[in-house]
Amino acid sequence: MKRLSVEEFQQAEKLPLVVVLDNVRSMHNVGSVLRTADAFRVEEVVLCGITGSPPHPEIHKTALGAEDSVNWRHCSSTLEAVEALKAEGVEVLSVEQAEGSSMLPSFHAQRGKRYAIVLGNEVKGVEQQVIDASAGCLEIPQLGTKHSMNVSVTAGIVIYHFALDLILS
């Protein structure tokens, strides 16, 4: 299957994307996001606020070892993490249903740029101050009766969209 070892993964070229989790409560969601980040060789995952961090058995249950391959760090404040990323020249986009948001299919990442996506709490979404500090919001079109998706599912859709634009096409 040509799987990379953890050492090979860490040396491999990464998708220029940082995933920021803003106060995500579920350890299973954290693990799932780490596993998806591994699948697409995401640059880094930043776990903010109350978001749990490895090592944790519930994270490992869904990450299946991705917590060892993916670069991750914890930051006490999502806003601080976003401001630090912006200072590095990273374009930060919140994934949220908000006035003026761009629908994901109409957004196209530019090669040569680094991006960060902020994914919010399972109930409250992305903090308003973080949305305000972002360059904009991305929204996934939804056609059913619900107006939200699980944060780890959202992460997979958005990460895949960036991978299509930046490395797979």
Side-chain angles (χ1 to χ4, degrees):
M1 294 189 70
K2 299 184 182 180
R3 290 186 182 140
L4 299 177
S5 68
V6 171
E7 295 77 23
E8 290 169 328
F9 179 93
Q10 290 173 345
Q11 297 301 316
E13 183 178 351
K14 302 293 187 291
L15 178 66
L17 179 67
V18 175
V19 176
V20 179
L21 298 183
D22 177 21
N23 293 298
V24 171
R25 298 176 308 165
S26 166
M27 301 295 177
H28 292 131
N29 283 335
V30 174
S32 182
V33 170
L34 286 166
R35 190 165 165 190
T36 301
D38 175 277
F40 291 101
R41 289 199 315 237
V42 164
E43 184 179 314
E44 180 183 35
V45 176
V46 184
L47 310 168
C48 300
I50 65 165
T51 306
S53 300
H56 192 284
E58 287 182 41
I59 291 174
H60 180 72
K61 184 176 183 177
T62 51
L64 295 177
E67 69 272 33
D68 299 325
S69 57
V70 174
N71 290 327
W72 63 268
R73 63 186 163 98
H74 187 269
C75 189
S76 60
S77 162
T78 307
L79 186 58
E80 286 176 21
V82 165
E83 294 296 346
L85 288 164
K86 287 170 46 179
E88 293 174 22
V90 176
E91 183 171 323
V92 178
L93 300 161
S94 289
V95 181
E96 190 61 75
Q97 296 168 338
E99 190 172 325
S101 64
S102 298
M103 290 297 165
L104 185 63
S106 66
F107 174 81
H108 297 287
Q110 299 172 16
R111 290 178 191 246
K113 286 182 75 172
R114 287 178 65 214
Y115 293 91
I117 55 168
V118 182
L119 299 156
N121 175 276
E122 293 90 339
V123 175
K124 298 177 183 177
V126 178
E127 295 177 73
Q128 186 61 50
Q129 63 183 355
V130 173
I131 291 171
D132 294 342
S134 300
C137 288
L138 298 175
E139 183 176 338
I140 299 170
Q142 298 176 49
L143 308 175
T145 62
K146 304 299 174 199
H147 294 281
S148 67
M149 288 189 282
N150 178 278
V151 66
S152 66
V153 171
T154 299
I157 292 167
V158 177
I159 292 168
Y160 182 68
H161 184 84
F162 274 84
L164 282 175
D165 283 348
L166 299 173
I167 60 171
L168 296 175
S169 61

